Amino acid sequence: IIDIKTGLQDHIIEGHYGGVYCATFSPDSRFVLSASADKACMLSKIETDKLEQIRRGFHGGIIWYCNFSDDNTYYITSSADTNIIVWRYYDYNVQATLKGHTNHVTTANFLPDNQHIYSTSFDGTVKIWNLESQTVVSSLEFEKTMWFGDVNKSQTKMAVCGATWKVHLYDICDLEKPVLLREFEGHTF
């Protein structure tokens, strides 16, 4: 971890034995969650550099992405094994395993309501999930791999991107029927 004010290394978090693809702070800034090629996610306490929890053996492939829910209730991991796992932050146990993609899940993240999740995948889809029922609410299909997405805080817009070389902007006021608003072009490689 780098101190932005000084530009100096502030903490070192160790424990992965493969490339680390994602690291993110908890909403309360007390922990860092990391995801790795070693098929593990680690939860580390920043103040002490202490490894609080390591989860291995739950995913069968590289973990591409991890993040926390805004309310600090859950954290999420997405993997090359095509699965998304939602973990309870308070006891580190699995809340849900979401299955429905047919290739690597590159991103999975919570919508601001913390009741829904969106995911992007090598299978060319972007899915919106209901966490409670563990079902797909809607699925957007693209001709190429989708890498990443984000949702605004008011949960009205979603931007997704991938190998289409475009940013696709959707109105998601009705999660069951996202509406394409526009596509931003200009990336060439």
PDB file of all heavy atoms in Angstrom, residues 48-68:
ATOM      1  N   THR A  48      -2.470  -3.406  11.022  1.00  0.00           N
ATOM      2  CA  THR A  48      -1.503  -4.342  11.592  1.00  0.00           C
ATOM      3  C   THR A  48      -0.782  -5.194  10.542  1.00  0.00           C
ATOM      4  O   THR A  48       0.083  -5.986  10.902  1.00  0.00           O
ATOM      5  CB  THR A  48      -2.214  -5.300  12.567  1.00  0.00           C
ATOM      6  OG1 THR A  48      -3.193  -6.050  11.825  1.00  0.00           O
ATOM      7  CG2 THR A  48      -2.866  -4.556  13.698  1.00  0.00           C
ATOM      8  N   ASP A  49      -1.167  -5.060   9.262  1.00  0.00           N
ATOM      9  CA  ASP A  49      -0.655  -5.921   8.185  1.00  0.00           C
ATOM     10  C   ASP A  49      -1.007  -7.387   8.448  1.00  0.00           C
ATOM     11  O   ASP A  49      -0.393  -8.299   7.894  1.00  0.00           O
ATOM     12  CB  ASP A  49       0.865  -5.800   8.005  1.00  0.00           C
ATOM     13  CG  ASP A  49       1.303  -4.453   7.493  1.00  0.00           C
ATOM     14  OD1 ASP A  49       0.482  -3.750   6.878  1.00  0.00           O
ATOM     15  OD2 ASP A  49       2.477  -4.104   7.706  1.00  0.00           O
ATOM     16  N   LYS A  50      -1.998  -7.635   9.287  1.00  0.00           N
ATOM     17  CA  LYS A  50      -2.364  -8.992   9.664  1.00  0.00           C
ATOM     18  C   LYS A  50      -3.342  -9.586   8.654  1.00  0.00           C
ATOM     19  O   LYS A  50      -4.318  -8.947   8.265  1.00  0.00           O
ATOM     20  CB  LYS A  50      -3.006  -8.988  11.054  1.00  0.00           C
ATOM     21  CG  LYS A  50      -3.417 -10.355  11.525  1.00  0.00           C
ATOM     22  CD  LYS A  50      -4.095 -10.316  12.869  1.00  0.00           C
ATOM     23  CE  LYS A  50      -4.591 -11.702  13.229  1.00  0.00           C
ATOM     24  NZ  LYS A  50      -5.692 -11.656  14.140  1.00  0.00           N
ATOM     25  N   LEU A  51      -3.059 -10.810   8.243  1.00  0.00           N
ATOM     26  CA  LEU A  51      -3.963 -11.557   7.391  1.00  0.00           C
ATOM     27  C   LEU A  51      -5.129 -12.040   8.254  1.00  0.00           C
ATOM     28  O   LEU A  51      -4.939 -12.828   9.174  1.00  0.00           O
ATOM     29  CB  LEU A  51      -3.226 -12.745   6.765  1.00  0.00           C
ATOM     30  CG  LEU A  51      -4.059 -13.667   5.893  1.00  0.00           C
ATOM     31  CD1 LEU A  51      -4.603 -12.926   4.675  1.00  0.00           C
ATOM     32  CD2 LEU A  51      -3.220 -14.860   5.460  1.00  0.00           C
ATOM     33  N   GLU A  52      -6.308 -11.520   7.987  1.00  0.00           N
ATOM     34  CA  GLU A  52      -7.500 -11.890   8.764  1.00  0.00           C
ATOM     35  C   GLU A  52      -8.115 -13.187   8.254  1.00  0.00           C
ATOM     36  O   GLU A  52      -8.612 -13.990   9.025  1.00  0.00           O
ATOM     37  CB  GLU A  52      -8.547 -10.782   8.688  1.00  0.00           C
ATOM     38  CG  GLU A  52      -8.172  -9.519   9.415  1.00  0.00           C
ATOM     39  CD  GLU A  52      -8.238  -9.672  10.918  1.00  0.00           C
ATOM     40  OE1 GLU A  52      -9.210 -10.248  11.440  1.00  0.00           O
ATOM     41  OE2 GLU A  52      -7.308  -9.204  11.585  1.00  0.00           O
ATOM     42  N   GLN A  53      -8.103 -13.343   6.923  1.00  0.00           N
ATOM     43  CA  GLN A  53      -8.783 -14.486   6.333  1.00  0.00           C
ATOM     44  C   GLN A  53      -8.191 -14.757   4.962  1.00  0.00           C
ATOM     45  O   GLN A  53      -7.898 -13.834   4.208  1.00  0.00           O
ATOM     46  CB  GLN A  53     -10.279 -14.184   6.193  1.00  0.00           C
ATOM     47  CG  GLN A  53     -11.145 -15.358   5.906  1.00  0.00           C
ATOM     48  CD  GLN A  53     -11.148 -16.373   7.028  1.00  0.00           C
ATOM     49  OE1 GLN A  53     -10.964 -17.541   6.754  1.00  0.00           O
ATOM     50  NE2 GLN A  53     -11.346 -15.980   8.267  1.00  0.00           N
ATOM     51  N   ILE A  54      -7.992 -16.020   4.649  1.00  0.00           N
ATOM     52  CA  ILE A  54      -7.612 -16.401   3.287  1.00  0.00           C
ATOM     53  C   ILE A  54      -8.565 -17.503   2.858  1.00  0.00           C
ATOM     54  O   ILE A  54      -8.874 -18.402   3.643  1.00  0.00           O
ATOM     55  CB  ILE A  54      -6.135 -16.845   3.191  1.00  0.00           C
ATOM     56  CG1 ILE A  54      -5.735 -17.045   1.738  1.00  0.00           C
ATOM     57  CG2 ILE A  54      -5.866 -18.065   4.022  1.00  0.00           C
ATOM     58  CD1 ILE A  54      -4.244 -17.048   1.501  1.00  0.00           C
ATOM     59  N   ARG A  55      -9.073 -17.373   1.661  1.00  0.00           N
ATOM     60  CA  ARG A  55     -10.020 -18.357   1.130  1.00  0.00           C
ATOM     61  C   ARG A  55      -9.407 -19.011  -0.097  1.00  0.00           C
ATOM     62  O   ARG A  55      -9.212 -18.382  -1.105  1.00  0.00           O
ATOM     63  CB  ARG A  55     -11.350 -17.687   0.769  1.00  0.00           C
ATOM     64  CG  ARG A  55     -12.130 -17.242   1.981  1.00  0.00           C
ATOM     65  CD  ARG A  55     -12.430 -18.441   2.807  1.00  0.00           C
ATOM     66  NE  ARG A  55     -13.369 -18.168   3.863  1.00  0.00           N
ATOM     67  CZ  ARG A  55     -13.551 -18.990   4.864  1.00  0.00           C
ATOM     68  NH1 ARG A  55     -12.890 -20.096   4.965  1.00  0.00           N
ATOM     69  NH2 ARG A  55     -14.417 -18.703   5.807  1.00  0.00           N
ATOM     70  N   ARG A  56      -9.058 -20.286   0.042  1.00  0.00           N
ATOM     71  CA  ARG A  56      -8.545 -21.092  -1.068  1.00  0.00           C
ATOM     72  C   ARG A  56      -9.474 -22.288  -1.251  1.00  0.00           C
ATOM     73  O   ARG A  56     -10.067 -22.772  -0.304  1.00  0.00           O
ATOM     74  CB  ARG A  56      -7.151 -21.630  -0.769  1.00  0.00           C
ATOM     75  CG  ARG A  56      -6.073 -20.612  -0.708  1.00  0.00           C
ATOM     76  CD  ARG A  56      -4.692 -21.296  -0.636  1.00  0.00           C
ATOM     77  NE  ARG A  56      -3.692 -20.387  -0.121  1.00  0.00           N
ATOM     78  CZ  ARG A  56      -3.095 -19.451  -0.819  1.00  0.00           C
ATOM     79  NH1 ARG A  56      -3.423 -19.288  -2.077  1.00  0.00           N
ATOM     80  NH2 ARG A  56      -2.190 -18.663  -0.270  1.00  0.00           N
ATOM     81  N   GLY A  57      -9.553 -22.771  -2.490  1.00  0.00           N
ATOM     82  CA  GLY A  57     -10.300 -24.000  -2.751  1.00  0.00           C
ATOM     83  C   GLY A  57     -11.770 -23.789  -3.043  1.00  0.00           C
ATOM     84  O   GLY A  57     -12.475 -24.752  -3.330  1.00  0.00           O
ATOM     85  N   PHE A  58     -12.239 -22.570  -2.982  1.00  0.00           N
ATOM     86  CA  PHE A  58     -13.639 -22.313  -3.287  1.00  0.00           C
ATOM     87  C   PHE A  58     -13.828 -22.060  -4.782  1.00  0.00           C
ATOM     88  O   PHE A  58     -14.847 -22.419  -5.348  1.00  0.00           O
ATOM     89  CB  PHE A  58     -14.164 -21.124  -2.478  1.00  0.00           C
ATOM     90  CG  PHE A  58     -14.332 -21.447  -1.025  1.00  0.00           C
ATOM     91  CD1 PHE A  58     -13.268 -21.319  -0.141  1.00  0.00           C
ATOM     92  CD2 PHE A  58     -15.541 -21.893  -0.539  1.00  0.00           C
ATOM     93  CE1 PHE A  58     -13.418 -21.624   1.195  1.00  0.00           C
ATOM     94  CE2 PHE A  58     -15.705 -22.201   0.806  1.00  0.00           C
ATOM     95  CZ  PHE A  58     -14.630 -22.068   1.678  1.00  0.00           C
ATOM     96  N   HIS A  59     -12.864 -21.399  -5.406  1.00  0.00           N
ATOM     97  CA  HIS A  59     -12.883 -21.178  -6.847  1.00  0.00           C
ATOM     98  C   HIS A  59     -11.952 -22.187  -7.506  1.00  0.00           C
ATOM     99  O   HIS A  59     -10.901 -22.525  -6.970  1.00  0.00           O
ATOM    100  CB  HIS A  59     -12.404 -19.764  -7.189  1.00  0.00           C
ATOM    101  CG  HIS A  59     -13.455 -18.712  -7.049  1.00  0.00           C
ATOM    102  ND1 HIS A  59     -14.587 -18.665  -7.838  1.00  0.00           N
ATOM    103  CD2 HIS A  59     -13.542 -17.648  -6.222  1.00  0.00           C
ATOM    104  CE1 HIS A  59     -15.321 -17.616  -7.505  1.00  0.00           C
ATOM    105  NE2 HIS A  59     -14.711 -16.983  -6.511  1.00  0.00           N
ATOM    106  N   GLY A  60     -12.331 -22.629  -8.702  1.00  0.00           N
ATOM    107  CA  GLY A  60     -11.523 -23.584  -9.443  1.00  0.00           C
ATOM    108  C   GLY A  60     -10.632 -22.942 -10.488  1.00  0.00           C
ATOM    109  O   GLY A  60     -10.066 -23.636 -11.331  1.00  0.00           O
ATOM    110  N   GLY A  61     -10.509 -21.626 -10.451  1.00  0.00           N
ATOM    111  CA  GLY A  61      -9.673 -20.930 -11.422  1.00  0.00           C
ATOM    112  C   GLY A  61      -9.204 -19.606 -10.861  1.00  0.00           C
ATOM    113  O   GLY A  61      -9.541 -19.226  -9.739  1.00  0.00           O
ATOM    114  N   ILE A  62      -8.446 -18.889 -11.692  1.00  0.00           N
ATOM    115  CA  ILE A  62      -7.955 -17.559 -11.342  1.00  0.00           C
ATOM    116  C   ILE A  62      -9.107 -16.714 -10.809  1.00  0.00           C
ATOM    117  O   ILE A  62     -10.202 -16.729 -11.356  1.00  0.00           O
ATOM    118  CB  ILE A  62      -7.379 -16.864 -12.594  1.00  0.00           C
ATOM    119  CG1 ILE A  62      -6.112 -17.559 -13.061  1.00  0.00           C
ATOM    120  CG2 ILE A  62      -7.135 -15.385 -12.371  1.00  0.00           C
ATOM    121  CD1 ILE A  62      -5.699 -17.143 -14.462  1.00  0.00           C
ATOM    122  N   ILE A  63      -8.869 -15.962  -9.740  1.00  0.00           N
ATOM    123  CA  ILE A  63      -9.863 -14.986  -9.280  1.00  0.00           C
ATOM    124  C   ILE A  63      -9.470 -13.646  -9.889  1.00  0.00           C
ATOM    125  O   ILE A  63      -8.423 -13.086  -9.583  1.00  0.00           O
ATOM    126  CB  ILE A  63      -9.929 -14.912  -7.743  1.00  0.00           C
ATOM    127  CG1 ILE A  63     -10.289 -16.290  -7.174  1.00  0.00           C
ATOM    128  CG2 ILE A  63     -10.968 -13.867  -7.316  1.00  0.00           C
ATOM    129  CD1 ILE A  63     -10.292 -16.359  -5.665  1.00  0.00           C
ATOM    130  N   TRP A  64     -10.325 -13.160 -10.770  1.00  0.00           N
ATOM    131  CA  TRP A  64     -10.044 -11.927 -11.504  1.00  0.00           C
ATOM    132  C   TRP A  64     -10.372 -10.670 -10.724  1.00  0.00           C
ATOM    133  O   TRP A  64      -9.730  -9.639 -10.883  1.00  0.00           O
ATOM    134  CB  TRP A  64     -10.856 -11.894 -12.808  1.00  0.00           C
ATOM    135  CG  TRP A  64     -10.395 -12.827 -13.856  1.00  0.00           C
ATOM    136  CD1 TRP A  64     -11.054 -13.949 -14.299  1.00  0.00           C
ATOM    137  CD2 TRP A  64      -9.192 -12.750 -14.632  1.00  0.00           C
ATOM    138  NE1 TRP A  64     -10.328 -14.559 -15.290  1.00  0.00           N
ATOM    139  CE2 TRP A  64      -9.184 -13.832 -15.518  1.00  0.00           C
ATOM    140  CE3 TRP A  64      -8.124 -11.853 -14.658  1.00  0.00           C
ATOM    141  CZ2 TRP A  64      -8.152 -14.058 -16.419  1.00  0.00           C
ATOM    142  CZ3 TRP A  64      -7.106 -12.077 -15.563  1.00  0.00           C
ATOM    143  CH2 TRP A  64      -7.129 -13.170 -16.427  1.00  0.00           C
ATOM    144  N   TYR A  65     -11.410 -10.733  -9.903  1.00  0.00           N
ATOM    145  CA  TYR A  65     -11.934  -9.490  -9.331  1.00  0.00           C
ATOM    146  C   TYR A  65     -12.509  -9.751  -7.947  1.00  0.00           C
ATOM    147  O   TYR A  65     -13.006 -10.842  -7.655  1.00  0.00           O
ATOM    148  CB  TYR A  65     -13.026  -8.929 -10.253  1.00  0.00           C
ATOM    149  CG  TYR A  65     -13.452  -7.535  -9.915  1.00  0.00           C
ATOM    150  CD1 TYR A  65     -12.695  -6.434 -10.310  1.00  0.00           C
ATOM    151  CD2 TYR A  65     -14.601  -7.294  -9.172  1.00  0.00           C
ATOM    152  CE1 TYR A  65     -13.076  -5.144  -9.990  1.00  0.00           C
ATOM    153  CE2 TYR A  65     -14.988  -6.005  -8.838  1.00  0.00           C
ATOM    154  CZ  TYR A  65     -14.224  -4.938  -9.258  1.00  0.00           C
ATOM    155  OH  TYR A  65     -14.595  -3.655  -8.931  1.00  0.00           O
ATOM    156  N   CYS A  66     -12.455  -8.718  -7.115  1.00  0.00           N
ATOM    157  CA  CYS A  66     -13.051  -8.785  -5.785  1.00  0.00           C
ATOM    158  C   CYS A  66     -13.494  -7.379  -5.388  1.00  0.00           C
ATOM    159  O   CYS A  66     -12.926  -6.396  -5.851  1.00  0.00           O
ATOM    160  CB  CYS A  66     -12.066  -9.346  -4.765  1.00  0.00           C
ATOM    161  SG  CYS A  66     -10.531  -8.397  -4.589  1.00  0.00           S
ATOM    162  N   ASN A  67     -14.506  -7.303  -4.533  1.00  0.00           N
ATOM    163  CA  ASN A  67     -14.943  -6.005  -4.022  1.00  0.00           C
ATOM    164  C   ASN A  67     -15.900  -6.210  -2.855  1.00  0.00           C
ATOM    165  O   ASN A  67     -16.394  -7.313  -2.625  1.00  0.00           O
ATOM    166  CB  ASN A  67     -15.614  -5.166  -5.107  1.00  0.00           C
ATOM    167  CG  ASN A  67     -15.420  -3.681  -4.882  1.00  0.00           C
ATOM    168  OD1 ASN A  67     -15.041  -3.244  -3.808  1.00  0.00           O
ATOM    169  ND2 ASN A  67     -15.686  -2.890  -5.902  1.00  0.00           N
ATOM    170  N   PHE A  68     -16.163  -5.125  -2.136  1.00  0.00           N
ATOM    171  CA  PHE A  68     -17.069  -5.121  -0.992  1.00  0.00           C
ATOM    172  C   PHE A  68     -18.408  -4.505  -1.373  1.00  0.00           C
ATOM    173  O   PHE A  68     -18.468  -3.649  -2.256  1.00  0.00           O
ATOM    174  CB  PHE A  68     -16.488  -4.264   0.144  1.00  0.00           C
ATOM    175  CG  PHE A  68     -15.260  -4.821   0.780  1.00  0.00           C
ATOM    176  CD1 PHE A  68     -14.001  -4.517   0.293  1.00  0.00           C
ATOM    177  CD2 PHE A  68     -15.357  -5.655   1.886  1.00  0.00           C
ATOM    178  CE1 PHE A  68     -12.858  -5.019   0.885  1.00  0.00           C
ATOM    179  CE2 PHE A  68     -14.218  -6.155   2.485  1.00  0.00           C
ATOM    180  CZ  PHE A  68     -12.961  -5.847   1.990  1.00  0.00           C
TER     181      PHE A  68
END
